[in-house]
Amino acid sequence: MPALVSSTGAQHARILGIGAYRPGRIVPNSEIVDAIDSTDEWIQQRSGIRERRWATDGETVQVMAVGAARQALERSGIDARQIDAVVVATVSHYLQTPALATTVAHELGTDQAAAFDISAACAGFCHGVALASDLVRGGSAHHVLVIGVERLSEQTDPTDRGSAFIFADGAGAAVVGPSDVPGIGPVAWGSDGEHADLIRSRDDWRDVLASDAPRMPHLVMQGNAVFRWASFTMAKVGLAALDRAGITADELDCFVPHQANMRITDAMARAMKLPATVAIARDIAEQGNTSAASIPLALDRMYAEGTAHSGDLALLIAFGAGLAYAAQVVVLP
Amino acid sequence: MATTEEIRTDLAEIVNEVAGVDADDVQLDKSFVDDLEVDSLSMVEVVVAAEEKFGVSIPDDEVKNLKTVGDAVAYIERASA
Protein backbone atom coordinates (compact mmCIF):
# COMPACT_ATOMS: atom_id res chain seq x y z
CA MET A 1 0.00 0.00 0.00
CA PRO A 2 1.48 3.39 -0.95
CA ALA A 3 2.24 5.70 1.99
CA LEU A 4 0.56 9.09 2.02
CA VAL A 5 2.60 12.22 2.52
CA SER A 6 1.62 14.04 5.70
CA SER A 7 1.94 17.80 5.99
CA THR A 8 4.26 19.36 8.52
CA GLY A 9 3.97 22.96 9.50
CA ALA A 10 5.80 25.57 11.50
CA GLN A 11 6.76 24.59 15.02
CA HIS A 12 5.01 27.63 16.45
CA ALA A 13 2.47 30.23 15.38
CA ARG A 14 1.84 33.81 16.39
CA ILE A 15 -0.36 36.77 15.59
CA LEU A 16 1.54 39.03 13.21
CA GLY A 17 -0.83 41.98 13.19
CA ILE A 18 -4.29 43.23 14.15
CA GLY A 19 -6.72 45.33 12.11
CA ALA A 20 -9.94 47.13 12.99
CA TYR A 21 -12.88 48.70 11.19
CA ARG A 22 -15.20 50.97 13.15
CA PRO A 23 -18.31 51.92 11.19
CA GLY A 24 -19.29 55.52 10.78
CA ARG A 25 -22.49 55.99 12.69
CA ILE A 26 -21.99 56.91 16.36
CA VAL A 27 -25.13 56.19 18.37
CA PRO A 28 -25.20 57.73 21.86
CA ASN A 29 -27.43 56.35 24.62
CA SER A 30 -29.74 59.31 24.10
CA GLU A 31 -30.86 57.73 20.80
CA ILE A 32 -31.69 54.43 22.52
CA VAL A 33 -33.42 55.46 25.74
CA ASP A 34 -36.89 56.52 24.55
CA ALA A 35 -37.85 53.17 23.03
CA ILE A 36 -36.96 51.34 26.26
CA ASP A 37 -38.15 54.03 28.69
CA SER A 38 -34.68 54.26 30.22
CA THR A 39 -31.90 56.76 30.84
CA ASP A 40 -28.31 57.30 29.79
CA GLU A 41 -27.31 56.86 33.44
CA TRP A 42 -29.09 53.49 33.74
CA ILE A 43 -27.49 52.14 30.56
CA GLN A 44 -24.02 53.22 31.67
CA GLN A 45 -24.53 51.79 35.13
CA ARG A 46 -25.89 48.53 33.69
CA SER A 47 -23.35 48.03 30.92
CA GLY A 48 -20.61 50.68 30.91
CA ILE A 49 -21.73 51.67 27.39
CA ARG A 50 -21.80 55.41 26.61
CA GLU A 51 -22.21 55.08 22.87
CA ARG A 52 -21.93 52.41 20.20
CA ARG A 53 -20.98 52.23 16.53
CA TRP A 54 -23.57 51.19 13.98
CA ALA A 55 -22.94 50.64 10.30
CA THR A 56 -24.27 53.04 7.69
CA ASP A 57 -26.14 51.56 4.72
CA GLY A 58 -22.99 51.15 2.65
CA GLU A 59 -21.01 49.53 5.43
CA THR A 60 -21.88 45.93 4.68
CA VAL A 61 -20.18 43.00 6.38
CA GLN A 62 -18.10 42.64 3.21
CA VAL A 63 -16.93 46.28 3.38
CA MET A 64 -16.13 46.13 7.09
CA ALA A 65 -14.39 42.73 6.88
CA VAL A 66 -12.20 43.87 3.99
CA GLY A 67 -11.39 47.13 5.81
CA ALA A 68 -10.23 45.40 8.97
CA ALA A 69 -8.34 42.73 6.99
CA ARG A 70 -6.43 45.28 4.90
CA GLN A 71 -5.26 47.04 8.04
CA ALA A 72 -4.18 43.73 9.62
CA LEU A 73 -2.24 42.79 6.47
CA GLU A 74 -0.55 46.18 6.32
CA ARG A 75 0.45 46.09 9.99
CA SER A 76 1.73 42.52 9.57
CA GLY A 77 3.79 43.36 6.51
CA ILE A 78 2.09 40.49 4.70
CA ASP A 79 0.79 40.70 1.14
CA ALA A 80 -2.70 39.31 0.45
CA ARG A 81 -1.12 36.79 -1.95
CA GLN A 82 0.74 35.23 1.01
CA ILE A 83 -2.56 34.38 2.72
CA ASP A 84 -3.45 30.69 2.33
CA ALA A 85 -6.67 30.67 4.31
CA VAL A 86 -9.34 33.19 5.28
CA VAL A 87 -11.56 32.37 8.26
CA VAL A 88 -14.52 34.68 8.89
CA ALA A 89 -16.42 34.48 12.17
CA THR A 90 -19.85 36.07 11.89
CA VAL A 91 -23.54 35.69 12.60
CA SER A 92 -24.42 38.68 10.41
CA HIS A 93 -23.99 37.29 6.90
CA TYR A 94 -27.51 36.85 5.57
CA LEU A 95 -26.69 34.88 2.48
CA GLN A 96 -26.95 31.22 3.37
CA THR A 97 -24.27 30.37 0.85
CA PRO A 98 -21.58 31.05 -0.31
CA ALA A 99 -19.55 31.94 2.75
CA LEU A 100 -18.58 35.60 3.24
CA ALA A 101 -14.94 34.52 3.50
CA THR A 102 -14.83 33.61 -0.21
CA THR A 103 -15.78 37.07 -1.49
CA VAL A 104 -13.60 38.74 1.15
CA ALA A 105 -10.62 36.59 0.10
CA HIS A 106 -11.24 37.55 -3.53
CA GLU A 107 -11.62 41.28 -2.91
CA LEU A 108 -8.44 41.30 -0.82
CA GLY A 109 -6.55 39.80 -3.74
CA THR A 110 -5.52 36.50 -2.23
CA ASP A 111 -4.36 33.79 -4.60
CA GLN A 112 -7.51 31.70 -4.27
CA ALA A 113 -6.97 31.19 -0.54
CA ALA A 114 -9.06 28.56 1.23
CA ALA A 115 -12.01 30.49 2.65
CA PHE A 116 -14.84 29.56 4.98
CA ASP A 117 -17.06 31.03 7.69
CA ILE A 118 -17.40 29.76 11.22
CA SER A 119 -20.47 30.15 13.41
CA ALA A 120 -19.50 30.55 17.04
CA ALA A 121 -21.26 33.86 17.72
CA CYS A 122 -19.45 36.04 20.26
CA ALA A 123 -16.85 33.30 20.76
CA GLY A 124 -15.95 33.36 17.05
CA PHE A 125 -12.70 35.29 17.12
CA CYS A 126 -10.94 33.03 19.63
CA HIS A 127 -12.23 29.97 17.75
CA GLY A 128 -10.70 31.48 14.60
CA VAL A 129 -7.36 32.15 16.27
CA ALA A 130 -7.26 28.57 17.58
CA LEU A 131 -8.01 27.19 14.11
CA ALA A 132 -5.47 29.49 12.48
CA SER A 133 -2.76 28.48 14.90
CA ASP A 134 -3.40 24.81 14.20
CA LEU A 135 -3.56 25.36 10.41
CA VAL A 136 -0.14 27.00 10.52
CA ARG A 137 1.39 24.42 12.86
CA GLY A 138 -0.23 21.55 10.98
CA GLY A 139 1.13 22.71 7.65
CA SER A 140 -2.20 23.46 5.95
CA ALA A 141 -1.36 27.16 5.66
CA HIS A 142 1.57 29.51 6.11
CA HIS A 143 -0.48 32.59 6.80
CA VAL A 144 -4.11 32.71 7.90
CA LEU A 145 -6.38 35.71 8.04
CA VAL A 146 -8.93 35.57 10.87
CA ILE A 147 -11.76 38.09 10.64
CA GLY A 148 -14.64 38.76 13.03
CA VAL A 149 -17.39 40.94 11.56
CA GLU A 150 -20.91 41.77 12.71
CA ARG A 151 -23.86 44.02 11.96
CA LEU A 152 -25.90 43.31 15.08
CA SER A 153 -27.79 46.60 14.81
CA GLU A 154 -30.02 44.81 12.28
CA GLN A 155 -30.77 42.04 14.78
CA THR A 156 -31.41 44.38 17.69
CA ASP A 157 -34.93 44.80 19.05
CA PRO A 158 -35.01 48.53 19.86
CA THR A 159 -37.81 47.96 22.40
CA ASP A 160 -36.09 45.17 24.39
CA ARG A 161 -34.86 46.66 27.69
CA GLY A 162 -32.44 43.77 28.11
CA SER A 163 -30.52 44.16 24.88
CA ALA A 164 -31.43 47.30 22.89
CA PHE A 165 -28.41 49.19 24.24
CA ILE A 166 -25.91 46.33 23.99
CA PHE A 167 -25.32 45.33 20.39
CA ALA A 168 -23.24 47.09 17.75
CA ASP A 169 -21.41 46.74 14.44
CA GLY A 170 -17.80 46.50 13.34
CA ALA A 171 -14.97 44.26 12.19
CA GLY A 172 -11.62 43.13 13.51
CA ALA A 173 -8.93 40.95 11.97
CA ALA A 174 -5.68 39.19 12.74
CA VAL A 175 -2.99 37.67 10.55
CA VAL A 176 -1.59 34.44 12.01
CA GLY A 177 1.69 33.05 10.72
CA PRO A 178 4.74 30.95 11.60
CA SER A 179 6.96 31.82 14.54
CA ASP A 180 10.31 30.76 15.99
CA VAL A 181 8.91 30.85 19.50
CA PRO A 182 5.45 30.03 20.90
CA GLY A 183 3.08 32.94 20.25
CA ILE A 184 -0.37 31.40 20.67
CA GLY A 185 -1.00 29.25 23.72
CA PRO A 186 -3.19 26.13 23.82
CA VAL A 187 -6.88 26.92 23.54
CA ALA A 188 -9.26 26.26 26.42
CA TRP A 189 -12.65 25.89 24.77
CA GLY A 190 -15.97 24.13 24.84
CA SER A 191 -19.73 24.44 24.62
CA ASP A 192 -22.76 24.04 26.83
CA GLY A 193 -25.70 23.32 24.56
CA GLU A 194 -27.94 22.58 27.52
CA HIS A 195 -28.18 26.35 27.83
CA ALA A 196 -28.51 27.12 24.12
CA ASP A 197 -31.62 29.20 24.82
CA LEU A 198 -29.86 31.76 27.04
CA ILE A 199 -28.69 33.75 24.00
CA ARG A 200 -30.27 33.09 20.62
CA SER A 201 -32.04 34.41 17.56
CA ARG A 202 -35.66 34.67 18.63
CA ASP A 203 -37.05 32.97 15.52
CA ASP A 204 -36.09 30.28 13.05
CA TRP A 205 -36.01 31.70 9.49
CA ARG A 206 -38.76 29.31 8.38
CA ASP A 207 -41.03 30.66 11.12
CA VAL A 208 -40.16 34.19 10.00
CA LEU A 209 -41.16 33.39 6.43
CA ALA A 210 -44.40 31.76 7.55
CA SER A 211 -45.46 34.81 9.57
CA ASP A 212 -47.76 37.56 8.29
CA ALA A 213 -45.19 40.25 8.98
CA PRO A 214 -41.75 38.79 8.26
CA ARG A 215 -38.87 40.61 9.92
CA MET A 216 -35.26 40.03 10.86
CA PRO A 217 -35.09 37.64 13.85
CA HIS A 218 -33.96 39.61 16.88
CA LEU A 219 -31.24 38.52 19.27
CA VAL A 220 -32.62 37.75 22.70
CA MET A 221 -30.84 36.82 25.90
CA GLN A 222 -31.57 36.11 29.53
CA GLY A 223 -29.44 38.81 31.12
CA ASN A 224 -28.92 37.66 34.69
CA ALA A 225 -28.29 34.02 33.79
CA VAL A 226 -25.85 35.08 31.07
CA PHE A 227 -24.15 37.43 33.51
CA ARG A 228 -23.66 34.64 36.01
CA TRP A 229 -22.30 32.21 33.42
CA ALA A 230 -20.07 34.76 31.70
CA SER A 231 -18.64 36.23 34.88
CA PHE A 232 -17.95 33.12 36.89
CA THR A 233 -17.90 30.03 34.66
CA MET A 234 -15.83 31.95 32.11
CA ALA A 235 -13.40 33.15 34.80
CA LYS A 236 -12.57 29.48 35.31
CA VAL A 237 -12.03 29.02 31.58
CA GLY A 238 -9.72 32.03 31.56
CA LEU A 239 -7.70 30.54 34.40
CA ALA A 240 -7.60 27.22 32.51
CA ALA A 241 -6.15 28.99 29.46
CA LEU A 242 -3.47 30.59 31.63
CA ASP A 243 -2.71 27.22 33.17
CA ARG A 244 -2.49 25.49 29.78
CA ALA A 245 -0.09 28.19 28.57
CA GLY A 246 2.06 27.85 31.69
CA ILE A 247 1.47 31.48 32.61
CA THR A 248 0.47 32.91 35.99
CA ALA A 249 -1.86 35.87 36.39
CA ASP A 250 1.11 37.88 37.69
CA GLU A 251 2.93 37.36 34.38
CA LEU A 252 0.01 38.58 32.31
CA ASP A 253 0.13 42.09 30.78
CA CYS A 254 -3.31 42.42 29.20
CA PHE A 255 -6.77 40.94 29.70
CA VAL A 256 -8.88 41.17 26.54
CA PRO A 257 -12.27 39.56 27.08
CA HIS A 258 -15.09 39.66 24.55
CA GLN A 259 -16.67 43.06 25.10
CA ALA A 260 -20.05 41.76 26.24
CA ASN A 261 -20.76 44.15 29.09
CA MET A 262 -18.38 46.19 31.29
CA ARG A 263 -19.96 44.61 34.36
CA ILE A 264 -19.06 41.13 33.06
CA THR A 265 -15.49 42.26 32.36
CA ASP A 266 -15.16 43.65 35.89
CA ALA A 267 -16.74 40.63 37.55
CA MET A 268 -14.52 38.22 35.56
CA ALA A 269 -11.39 40.15 36.44
CA ARG A 270 -12.38 40.06 40.12
CA ALA A 271 -13.25 36.35 39.98
CA MET A 272 -9.90 35.58 38.31
CA LYS A 273 -8.13 37.73 40.92
CA LEU A 274 -6.14 39.49 38.22
CA PRO A 275 -3.50 41.78 39.71
CA ALA A 276 -3.92 45.54 39.24
CA THR A 277 -0.90 45.51 36.89
CA VAL A 278 -2.94 43.78 34.17
CA ALA A 279 -4.37 46.23 31.61
CA ILE A 280 -8.05 45.50 30.94
CA ALA A 281 -9.79 46.08 27.59
CA ARG A 282 -12.70 48.50 27.89
CA ASP A 283 -13.54 49.23 24.27
CA ILE A 284 -17.24 48.54 24.90
CA ALA A 285 -17.78 52.01 26.40
CA GLU A 286 -17.58 53.62 22.97
CA GLN A 287 -18.06 50.67 20.63
CA GLY A 288 -20.81 48.53 22.16
CA ASN A 289 -20.88 44.73 21.93
CA THR A 290 -19.74 43.66 18.46
CA SER A 291 -19.77 39.90 19.07
CA ALA A 292 -17.04 38.20 16.98
CA ALA A 293 -15.36 41.54 16.20
CA SER A 294 -14.99 42.77 19.77
CA ILE A 295 -11.60 41.34 20.77
CA PRO A 296 -9.52 42.68 17.85
CA LEU A 297 -11.39 46.00 18.08
CA ALA A 298 -10.58 46.18 21.80
CA LEU A 299 -6.93 45.30 21.17
CA ASP A 300 -6.74 48.02 18.53
CA ARG A 301 -7.89 50.59 21.10
CA MET A 302 -5.42 49.32 23.70
CA TYR A 303 -2.53 49.85 21.26
CA ALA A 304 -3.82 53.33 20.41
CA GLU A 305 -4.15 54.25 24.08
CA GLY A 306 -0.76 52.77 24.99
CA THR A 307 -2.06 50.06 27.33
CA ALA A 308 -0.97 47.19 25.04
CA HIS A 309 2.49 46.81 23.54
CA SER A 310 4.27 44.48 21.16
CA GLY A 311 5.54 41.46 23.09
CA ASP A 312 2.94 41.72 25.85
CA LEU A 313 1.25 38.55 27.07
CA ALA A 314 -2.51 38.87 26.63
CA LEU A 315 -5.33 36.58 27.71
CA LEU A 316 -8.07 36.52 25.07
CA ILE A 317 -11.40 35.01 26.06
CA ALA A 318 -14.55 34.94 23.98
CA PHE A 319 -17.94 33.55 24.98
CA GLY A 320 -21.52 33.75 23.85
CA ALA A 321 -24.47 32.02 22.23
CA GLY A 322 -24.22 28.26 22.17
CA LEU A 323 -23.15 28.57 24.83
CA ALA A 324 -19.75 28.49 23.14
CA TYR A 325 -16.44 29.69 24.54
CA ALA A 326 -12.72 29.77 23.77
CA ALA A 327 -9.71 31.35 25.42
CA GLN A 328 -5.99 31.48 24.80
CA VAL A 329 -2.90 33.39 25.88
CA VAL A 330 -1.13 35.14 23.01
CA VAL A 331 1.99 37.22 22.56
CA LEU A 332 0.86 40.53 21.12
CA PRO A 333 2.32 41.55 17.76
CA MET B 1 -23.57 25.86 62.78
CA ALA B 2 -23.26 29.59 62.19
CA THR B 3 -25.67 31.90 64.03
CA THR B 4 -27.99 34.28 62.18
CA GLU B 5 -25.77 37.17 63.20
CA GLU B 6 -22.64 35.43 61.95
CA ILE B 7 -24.27 34.79 58.58
CA ARG B 8 -25.47 38.40 58.40
CA THR B 9 -21.97 39.67 59.18
CA ASP B 10 -20.36 37.50 56.50
CA LEU B 11 -23.05 38.46 54.00
CA ALA B 12 -22.55 42.15 54.84
CA GLU B 13 -18.86 41.74 54.05
CA ILE B 14 -19.74 40.26 50.65
CA VAL B 15 -22.23 43.02 49.85
CA ASN B 16 -19.59 45.55 50.83
CA GLU B 17 -17.00 43.96 48.53
CA VAL B 18 -19.31 43.58 45.56
CA ALA B 19 -21.39 46.75 45.72
CA GLY B 20 -19.42 49.08 47.99
CA VAL B 21 -22.29 49.29 50.50
CA ASP B 22 -21.24 50.09 54.09
CA ALA B 23 -21.32 46.72 55.90
CA ASP B 24 -23.07 48.31 58.90
CA ASP B 25 -26.03 49.19 56.65
CA VAL B 26 -26.58 45.55 55.69
CA GLN B 27 -29.22 44.76 58.34
CA LEU B 28 -31.90 42.04 58.21
CA ASP B 29 -34.77 44.42 57.44
CA LYS B 30 -33.00 46.15 54.54
CA SER B 31 -34.12 45.58 50.95
CA PHE B 32 -31.24 44.87 48.58
CA VAL B 33 -32.74 46.91 45.77
CA ASP B 34 -34.64 49.71 47.52
CA ASP B 35 -32.47 50.36 50.59
CA LEU B 36 -28.98 49.20 49.61
CA GLU B 37 -29.22 49.94 45.85
CA VAL B 38 -27.78 46.54 44.93
CA ASP B 39 -28.95 46.03 41.34
CA SER B 40 -29.76 42.66 39.78
CA LEU B 41 -26.28 42.13 38.32
CA SER B 42 -24.57 42.93 41.63
CA MET B 43 -27.10 40.61 43.28
CA VAL B 44 -25.84 37.79 41.02
CA GLU B 45 -22.29 38.50 42.23
CA VAL B 46 -23.44 38.55 45.86
CA VAL B 47 -25.22 35.23 45.38
CA VAL B 48 -22.20 33.54 43.77
CA ALA B 49 -19.90 34.81 46.54
CA ALA B 50 -22.42 33.66 49.16
CA GLU B 51 -22.60 30.20 47.57
CA GLU B 52 -18.83 29.87 47.91
CA LYS B 53 -18.69 31.32 51.41
CA PHE B 54 -21.53 29.27 52.89
CA GLY B 55 -21.25 26.14 50.74
CA VAL B 56 -24.86 26.36 49.57
CA SER B 57 -26.57 26.47 46.18
CA ILE B 58 -28.84 29.42 45.35
CA PRO B 59 -30.47 28.82 41.94
CA ASP B 60 -31.50 31.76 39.72
CA ASP B 61 -35.17 31.01 40.38
CA GLU B 62 -34.63 31.58 44.11
CA VAL B 63 -32.68 34.81 43.76
CA LYS B 64 -35.76 36.85 42.89
CA ASN B 65 -37.37 35.80 46.18
CA LEU B 66 -34.49 37.19 48.21
CA LYS B 67 -35.81 40.74 48.61
CA THR B 68 -34.26 41.59 51.96
CA VAL B 69 -31.04 40.74 53.75
CA GLY B 70 -33.21 38.74 56.16
CA ASP B 71 -34.61 36.68 53.26
CA ALA B 72 -31.08 35.83 52.15
CA VAL B 73 -29.86 34.98 55.64
CA ALA B 74 -32.93 32.76 56.22
CA TYR B 75 -32.37 30.99 52.89
CA ILE B 76 -28.72 30.34 53.72
CA GLU B 77 -29.68 29.03 57.17
CA ARG B 78 -32.22 26.63 55.63
CA ALA B 79 -29.92 25.55 52.81
CA SER B 80 -27.01 24.81 55.13
CA ALA B 81 -29.09 23.15 57.86
Side-chain angles (χ1 to χ4, degrees):
Chain A
M1 181 176 158
L4 289 180
V5 172
S6 180
S7 63
T8 49
Q11 192 175 358
H12 307 292
R14 66 185 177 101
I15 297 177
L16 301 173
I18 294 281
Y21 184 97
R22 297 182 195 275
R25 194 172 157 225
I26 297 171
V27 180
N29 289 342
S30 58
E31 280 189 43
I32 306 283
V33 293
D34 288 349
I36 54 171
D37 188 24
S38 186
T39 62
D40 174 37
E41 186 192 13
W42 184 83
I43 292 174
Q44 290 201 40
Q45 194 262 338
R46 186 82 186 172
S47 67
I49 299 173
R50 293 193 295 272
E51 62 191 33
R52 73 280 295 134
R53 294 290 188 116
W54 282 2
T56 59
D57 286 348
E59 289 174 314
T60 61
V61 284
Q62 172 87 16
V63 166
M64 294 192 287
V66 167
R70 285 203 170 120
Q71 189 176 57
L73 288 168
E74 190 185 313
R75 287 176 177 171
S76 306
I78 297 292
D79 188 273
R81 283 165 300 192
Q82 293 173 266
I83 296 293
D84 306 300
V86 177
V87 180
V88 173
T90 186
V91 293
S92 312
H93 178 51
Y94 304 114
L95 197 62
Q96 191 81 31
T97 197
L100 178 62
T102 59
T103 51
V104 169
H106 174 69
E107 186 174 340
L108 288 170
T110 70
D111 184 15
Q112 302 207 341
F116 56 94
D117 294 354
I118 56 174
S119 177
C122 298
F125 184 75
C126 288
H127 278 71
V129 168
L131 286 177
S133 174
D134 289 353
L135 289 172
V136 169
R137 296 192 311 126
S140 300
H142 292 290
H143 295 98
V144 182
L145 190 52
V146 178
I147 303 169
V149 60
E150 304 287 5
R151 259 179 81 125
L152 299 182
S153 58
E154 290 176 288
Q155 298 175 54
T156 297
D157 178 353
T159 65
D160 177 7
R161 281 178 64 85
S163 68
F165 55 92
I166 296 279
F167 300 120
D169 307 336
V175 176
V176 173
S179 175
D180 295 332
V181 293
I184 298 174
V187 67
W189 62 354
S191 68
D192 177 11
E194 184 185 350
H195 296 110
D197 61 340
L198 288 190
I199 314 167
R200 55 167 292 166
S201 296
R202 182 177 285 152
D203 314 300
D204 184 301
W205 282 113
R206 290 163 299 185
D207 297 331
V208 171
L209 292 172
S211 82
D212 294 334
R215 61 174 191 187
M216 185 75 83
H218 289 141
L219 282 172
V220 288
M221 60 178 180
Q222 297 176 34
N224 287 359
V226 170
F227 179 79
R228 183 174 182 149
W229 173 75
S231 301
F232 299 100
T233 308
M234 288 305 97
K236 291 178 187 141
V237 172
L239 292 174
L242 287 178
D243 188 53
R244 295 205 66 197
I247 298 295
T248 65
D250 289 336
E251 294 168 316
L252 202 61
D253 298 301
C254 305
F255 175 50
V256 193
H258 161 51
Q259 302 287 287
N261 184 318
M262 199 78 88
R263 298 279 295 272
I264 290 174
T265 297
D266 288 333
M268 276 178 83
R270 272 199 295 276
M272 292 176 66
K273 298 186 167 46
L274 294 182
T277 49
V278 176
I280 298 178
R282 300 192 178 283
D283 188 46
I284 191 171
E286 290 172 27
Q287 177 67 49
N289 174 340
T290 55
S291 186
S294 80
I295 286 177
L297 282 167
L299 265 174
D300 178 69
R301 180 184 298 277
M302 292 180 84
Y303 281 117
E305 293 181 347
T307 52
H309 313 87
S310 179
D312 280 357
L313 282 174
L315 172 61
L316 315 182
I317 178 164
F319 47 88
L323 302 167
Y325 54 89
Q328 62 264 104
V329 178
V330 302
V331 179
L332 293 183
Chain B
M1 180 73 202
T3 65
T4 300
E5 178 55 19
E6 283 166 351
I7 293 173
R8 188 203 62 80
T9 306
D10 285 348
L11 191 62
E13 213 169 281
I14 290 170
V15 173
N16 171 261
E17 278 171 25
V18 169
V21 176
D22 191 333
D24 292 340
D25 291 342
V26 184
Q27 298 298 331
L28 296 178
D29 61 338
K30 292 288 170 60
S31 155
F32 285 108
V33 176
D34 298 331
D35 298 323
L36 305 177
E37 296 182 343
V38 175
D39 73 9
S40 67
L41 296 186
S42 291
M43 194 63 196
V44 172
E45 286 196 72
V46 168
V47 162
V48 172
E51 286 182 333
E52 281 179 19
K53 178 85 189 174
F54 301 107
V56 298
S57 169
I58 311 175
D60 287 333
D61 289 346
E62 279 298 335
V63 175
K64 61 178 180 295
N65 299 326
L66 309 179
K67 306 277 190 218
T68 66
V69 175
D71 293 340
V73 170
Y75 184 88
I76 292 163
E77 283 181 318
R78 277 200 307 278
S80 54

